[in-house]
Amino acid sequence: AQSVTQLDSQVPVFEEAPVELRCNYSSSVSVYLFWYVQYPNQGLQLLLKYLSGSTLVKGINGFEAEFNKSQTSFHLRKPSVHISDTAEYFCAVSEDSSYKLIFGSGTRLLVRP
Amino acid sequence: DTAVSQTPKYLVTQMGNDKSIKCEQNLGHDTMYWYKQDSKKFLKIMFSYNNKELIINETVPNRFSPKSPDKAHLNLHINSLELGDSAVYFCASSLLDRKNKNIQYFGAGTRLSVL
């Protein structure tokens, strides 16, 4: 069965510092991987996705993620964060031929001045 | 133009009441979903409809009944509301084809508070 693990519930970081939010998944078949961002009191916005092809994917707001099949990971990175990046970040996985998105428990990114 | 819109945004009600949440998408998608986000921010799928047919029905109390009058709408009716139903409910939609790989787009959520 699919599952997604986001090991860090909260990541505090100073403005302009780099950040990495970790995501590991388990699945026995081909998967599609997603990162969503939820700003306070708002809905989920698609940040980026891995469907196939290049393992390094770029998303909105300067974020990128790398799919590592051998380590079953899809970590999210940004070289320099802004205060406005403070939000909850969710990693999600969907198996080929599955209609479901399975979400991780979320990581709260807290950017301090 | 809002792609996936939910109404109402906030819903405060008493235990035992019946309430509905509506969702509409104008993306031309053929599949819609309801997710529940609990107080710890954990998101779990509840239901999904593809072309008005129920395709996902997770372990959800039968007090919850989804209805899809057409591909662009998916409503959620909840009977006999309980305290534990308090959560944020998200609607999402997607196009199920080889190219789009079920990329889901979410609404802004409905915050349900049961008193």
Side-chain angles (χ1 to χ4, degrees), chain A residues 32 36 38 90 99-101, chain B residues 37 58 96 101-102 104:
Chain A
Y32 309 124
Y36 285 85
Q38 185 178 25
F90 293 94
Y99 304 113
K100 290 193 253 190
L101 268 184
Chain B
Q37 186 176 46
E58 293 292 290
L96 282 188
K101 310 283 192 218
N102 195 23
Q104 296 184 22

Side-chain angles (χ1 to χ4, degrees), chain B residues 59-75:
Chain B
T59 310
V60 176
N62 56 15
R63 298 181 294 104
F64 290 77
S65 51
K67 281 192 173 45
S68 182
D70 55 58
K71 286 196 300 184
H73 296 84
L74 179 62
N75 303 323

Side-chain angles (χ1 to χ4, degrees), chain A residues 11-21 63 76-82 85 109 111:
Chain A
V11 173
V13 64
F14 287 108
E15 195 174 16
E16 297 183 8
V19 72
E20 178 180 84
L21 305 185
F63 283 92
L76 181 70
R77 301 186 185 102
K78 186 169 182 177
S80 175
V81 294
H82 303 290
D85 292 323
L109 177 62
V111 182

